[in-house]
């Protein structure tokens, strides 16, 4: 009986992990269809259909481990959106409903699946194997972007690729496979050239978190890697103009262009792409409704073109008011810190990956439209398991 239970638990973990890893693989395929194949509508149906199949396969395991609690969490999220629409009245259906559809029926189930997985190694192995494929797809996509006349960077592909970089980097820290270093170096170069600057912030956060708290590296190795990083940064700073001009010339002769290099060469490395004005408007909206905010996804259309704050903490204040927004900010920050300090190796490693990834929420994206936000919370809450009705011992 124990053997049967163990096999069933492994099957459940695999189904749940397949849903999460499959989501990121299919997301990369969708980026390929949009940017390489011209966004063919028929082809774009297939990733969505396969995602639905994976969710159906995983649902049996979700229900077994969480049951009615899964339904309760889904209902709570739907209520939050409903209150925003019917009571706050600060967001149109055309803006709210697409966000609600994805977060309720895809992003939240991804987070719940993550929370339900007992053996995190199963998920990590699947994510790593998928990342090896994902990086190839997204490198091709970003190289195509670099040859476009009108658009020379892709924010979505860059952020998608950095997640694979973080996963492959974690695999290297665990196994010391040299080819992982090669993959990471190539991917980072492509992101710097043809992605946005936010993903690099995520990678820096990943390195700093590992140096500060990770048990994967010894103290001696942490010091050595820190010295290597400082030396590399120093060399770049003192040879800044030469290196950038040299790389830009090579790219131009090959028919490529890089928005990031152009900004750096023009002295616009800190160019915020309008974020300052967006966040100034957000602060004004917060002042207008400081106590209860504008509701979930609220306040985006006040200034005409719908825009979110591009900062997770400002978004919490905007949507839920200063008192509750401050409370949520403190709770989330505490959860993130607890997550990266976990002792179980694979849980800690995955928590560090996704905490590093959502550092991007400080400069871009929205908590309601970011799958990693829900997954990250689930990883960081490990050790507080409130499910496992079908696991060993029923704990």
């Amino acid at each position: 009986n124990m053997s049967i239970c163990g096999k069933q638990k492994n099957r459940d973990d695999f189904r749940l992990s397949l849903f999460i890893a499959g989501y990121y693989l299919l997301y990369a395929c969708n980026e390929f269809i949009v940017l390489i194949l011209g966004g063919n509508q028929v082809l774009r149906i297939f990733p969505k259909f396969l995602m639905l199949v994976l969710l159906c396969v995983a649902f049996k395991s979700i229900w077994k481990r969480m049951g009615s609690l899964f339904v309760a969490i889904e209902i709570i999220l739907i209520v939050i959106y409903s209150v925003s629409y019917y009571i706050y009245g600060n967001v149109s259906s055309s803006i709210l409903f697409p966000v609600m559809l994805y977060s309720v029926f895809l992003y939240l189930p991804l987070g719940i699946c993550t929370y339900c997985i007992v053996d995190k190694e199963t998920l990590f192995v699947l994510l790593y194997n998928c990342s090896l494929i994902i990086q190839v797809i997204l490198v091709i996509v970003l190289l195509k972007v670099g040859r476009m006349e009108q658009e020379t960077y892709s924010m979505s592909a860059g952020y998608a690729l950095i997640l694979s970089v973080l996963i492959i980097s974690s695999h290297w820290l665990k196994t010391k496979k040299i080819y992982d270093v090669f993959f990471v170096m190539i991917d980072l170069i492509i992101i710097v050239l043809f992605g946005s600057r936010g993903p690099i912030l995520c990678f820096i956060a990943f390195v700093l978190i590992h140096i500060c708290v990770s048990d994967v590296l010894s103290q001696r190795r942490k010091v050595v890697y820190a010295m290597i990083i400082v030396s590399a940064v120093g060399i770049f700073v003192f040879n800044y103009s030469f290196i950038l001009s040299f790389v830009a010339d090579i790219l131009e002769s090959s028919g490529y262009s890089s928005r990031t290099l152009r900004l750096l060469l023009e002295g616009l490395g800190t160019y915020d792409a309008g974020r300052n004005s967006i966040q100034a408007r957000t602060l004004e909206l917060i002042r207008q409704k400081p106590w209860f905010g504008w509701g979930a996804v609220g306040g985006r259309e006040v200034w005409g073109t719908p825009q979110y704050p591009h900062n997770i903490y400002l978004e919490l204040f905007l949507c839920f008011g200063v008192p509750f927004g401050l409370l949520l900010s403190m709770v989330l920050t505490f959860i993130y810190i607890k997550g990266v300090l976990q002792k179980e190796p694979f849980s800690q490693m995955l928590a560090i990956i996704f905490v590093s990834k959502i550092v991007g929420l400080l400069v871009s994206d929205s908590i309601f439209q970011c799958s990693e936000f829900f997954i990250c919370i689930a990883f960081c809450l490990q050790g507080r398991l409130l499910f496992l009705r079908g696991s060993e011992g029923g704990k």
Side-chain angles (χ1 to χ4, degrees):
N1 287 339
M2 290 297 291
S3 176
I4 294 172
C5 288
K7 289 180 180 179
Q8 181 59 48
K9 187 173 75 172
N10 292 338
R11 279 198 294 268
D12 288 330
D13 283 343
F14 181 78
R15 288 170 185 160
L16 297 166
S17 300
L18 188 63
F19 175 51
I20 299 163
Y23 164 74
Y24 288 108
L25 179 58
L26 292 171
Y27 183 90
C29 291
N30 189 65
E31 289 287 300
F32 186 89
I33 292 169
V34 171
L35 291 169
I36 302 295
L37 303 180
N40 185 287
Q41 293 301 317
V42 176
L43 289 177
R44 292 186 69 180
I45 292 174
F46 285 101
K48 295 177 181 177
F49 174 74
L50 290 174
M51 198 70 246
L52 182 61
V53 171
L54 291 177
L55 175 58
C56 291
V57 171
F59 185 77
K60 180 179 179 181
S61 299
I62 295 174
W63 185 258
K64 183 187 299 182
R65 293 190 170 175
M66 291 198 76
S68 56
L69 184 58
F70 166 71
V71 177
I73 296 171
E74 289 278 339
I75 290 173
I76 289 170
L77 187 58
I78 292 171
V79 168
I80 290 172
Y81 284 124
S82 299
V83 167
S84 179
Y85 183 70
Y86 291 106
I87 298 178
Y88 278 79
N90 295 316
V91 58
S92 66
S93 59
S94 61
I95 297 295
L96 180 70
F97 288 168
V99 174
M100 176 179 173
L101 183 69
Y102 275 96
S103 62
V104 171
F105 295 108
L106 181 57
Y107 302 152
L108 183 57
L110 281 167
I112 291 173
C113 270
T114 302
Y115 188 75
C116 286
I117 297 170
V118 179
D119 181 10
K120 293 298 186 294
E121 185 175 1
T122 300
L123 174 57
F124 181 78
V125 170
L126 266 178
L127 283 173
Y128 174 73
N129 291 333
C130 285
S131 292
L132 296 177
I133 303 170
I134 289 169
Q135 66 170 351
V136 174
I137 297 171
L138 293 176
V139 164
I140 293 171
V141 167
L142 286 167
L143 287 173
K144 171 67 174 178
V145 167
R147 297 187 72 92
M148 292 180 179
E149 295 181 2
Q150 295 180 335
E151 189 69 59
T152 57
Y153 83 110
S154 172
M155 184 180 294
S156 58
Y159 272 111
L161 181 55
I162 197 63
L163 181 62
S164 292
V165 169
L166 300 180
I167 293 166
I168 294 170
S169 298
S170 298
H171 188 265
W172 173 75
L173 289 171
K174 195 76 176 172
T175 65
K176 301 300 185 291
K177 301 292 186 182
I178 192 64
Y179 52 79
D180 287 334
V181 177
F182 174 76
F183 293 146
V184 167
M185 290 177 63
I186 296 297
D187 293 344
L188 285 175
I189 290 170
I190 295 297
I191 289 171
V192 168
L193 294 177
F194 309 120
S196 58
R197 290 161 292 172
I200 302 305
L201 183 64
C202 298
F203 187 76
I204 292 171
F206 175 82
V207 173
L208 291 176
I209 293 171
H210 267 288
I211 289 174
C212 293
V213 306
S214 174
D215 293 329
V216 176
L217 296 174
S218 65
Q219 290 300 322
R220 179 175 172 276
R221 285 183 178 272
K222 287 180 181 181
V223 172
V224 171
Y225 292 144
M227 292 176 63
I228 292 172
I229 292 168
V230 170
S231 300
V233 171
I235 292 170
F236 177 77
V237 169
F238 287 109
N239 298 275
Y240 180 86
S241 298
F242 171 75
I243 294 172
L244 293 181
S245 298
F246 179 73
V247 174
D249 289 342
I250 292 177
L251 286 175
E252 186 176 347
S253 64
S254 304
Y256 291 93
S257 60
S258 168
R259 172 182 178 267
T260 301
L261 281 187
R262 175 174 55 79
L263 290 174
L264 291 173
L265 286 169
E266 293 174 359
L268 299 172
T270 57
Y271 172 65
D272 66 359
R275 284 178 175 81
N276 277 344
S277 60
I278 293 171
Q279 292 174 0
R281 292 175 178 179
T282 300
L283 289 170
E284 177 58 32
L285 292 175
I286 293 170
R287 291 189 194 100
Q288 291 179 21
K289 298 188 177 184
W291 294 107
F292 301 105
W294 292 76
V297 199
R300 295 188 180 190
E301 301 163 282
V302 173
W303 303 105
T305 304
Q307 292 176 324
Y308 49 80
H310 290 74
N311 182 284
I312 179 175
Y313 295 111
L314 281 180
E315 186 166 28
L316 291 172
F317 292 148
L318 174 68
C319 295
F320 304 111
V322 174
F324 195 54
L326 180 61
L327 177 62
L328 283 175
S329 299
M330 293 171 63
V331 169
L332 287 176
T333 303
F334 176 76
I335 287 172
Y336 300 149
I337 293 172
K338 290 286 285 183
V340 300
L341 294 175
Q342 293 178 81
K343 295 304 180 185
E344 200 285 313
F346 284 99
S347 293
Q348 184 194 43
M349 194 157 50
L350 287 163
I352 291 174
I353 289 170
F354 281 86
V355 167
S356 302
K357 176 62 170 65
I358 65 163
V359 165
L361 285 174
L362 293 172
V363 295
S364 186
D365 217 339
S366 161
I367 57 173
F368 302 105
Q369 295 166 253
C370 179
S371 61
E372 289 87 6
F373 173 75
F374 295 87
I375 293 174
C376 180
I377 295 296
F379 277 128
C380 291
L381 288 177
Q382 290 302 313
R384 296 283 187 271
L385 302 179
L386 302 175
F387 64 94
L388 301 185
R389 298 189 311 160
S391 71
E392 294 175 348
K395 294 182 182 178

